[in-house]
Each structure stands twice: as C-alpha cells, then as structure tokens.
Amino acid sequence: MEIFLTKQAAIRNDPGPPLNKPYETITIVTSSEKFVFTGEGNTARGKLDIVRGGKATSKDKRCYEAIKAAGGAKATVVFPAKTA
C-alpha cells in the first residue's frame, strides 16, 4: 500500500482501517533519503505516528527531519501475507 506524507509527516488521504494492522515493513522515501522500518509489533499507523512525533529513536528523528526538508514523502507499507 502506498501513502503520501505531508511536510509535517501527516498522512495525506488517510486510507483508514488498513493502517491499523501490524506491518511487515514500511519504506519511507524522500527526495534525498530512504528509510526502512521493519515490523516491531506495532501497527502501521502507530509507527507513522512515532515518526511524525520524531521522539522515539535517532532513526525516527532523522526520518522526520528528512520528510520536513523534502516537503513530504512517499511511504510504502507491506503487510504480512495472510496464512490459511
């Protein structure tokens, strides 16, 4: 699932409930950098909120600063494959 983040790292055109599920990876790409986050037991929305807050880890802070500097970013969220 691709979503776009504003300069403040808010979700533009929020897709709603799908982001409330645990994620496998989130890749955030700005005009100058790429950040990859692997599922840490958090939901996709929860992780994006952490990045937007820029408070958790130094990687989260760097990602937030890169999004601000670039004026936004594209995020690709990969959810675990459903198993039968």
Side-chain angles (χ1 to χ4, degrees):
M1 167 183 291
E2 288 186 351
I3 57 174
F4 295 93
L5 305 175
T6 67
K7 182 177 181 175
Q8 294 79 28
I11 301 167
R12 183 181 299 150
N13 298 328
D14 192 324
L19 292 181
N20 297 334
K21 297 187 283 185
Y23 67 94
E24 192 171 292
T25 62
I26 297 177
T27 304
I28 298 176
V29 179
T30 69
S31 57
S32 61
E33 293 187 66
K34 177 178 174 180
F35 298 86
V36 179
F37 300 93
T38 56
E40 299 149 356
N42 202 347
T43 65
R45 182 179 309 283
K47 183 59 183 179
L48 292 170
D49 285 344
I50 290 169
V51 168
R52 183 173 63 242
K55 297 177 184 170
T57 67
S58 59
K59 182 178 178 181
D60 296 327
K61 291 176 187 175
R62 286 192 330 272
C63 183
Y64 178 69
E65 291 302 320
I67 293 169
K68 280 182 18 182
K74 181 175 90 172
T76 303
V77 181
V78 176
F79 296 99
K82 292 182 180 182
T83 56

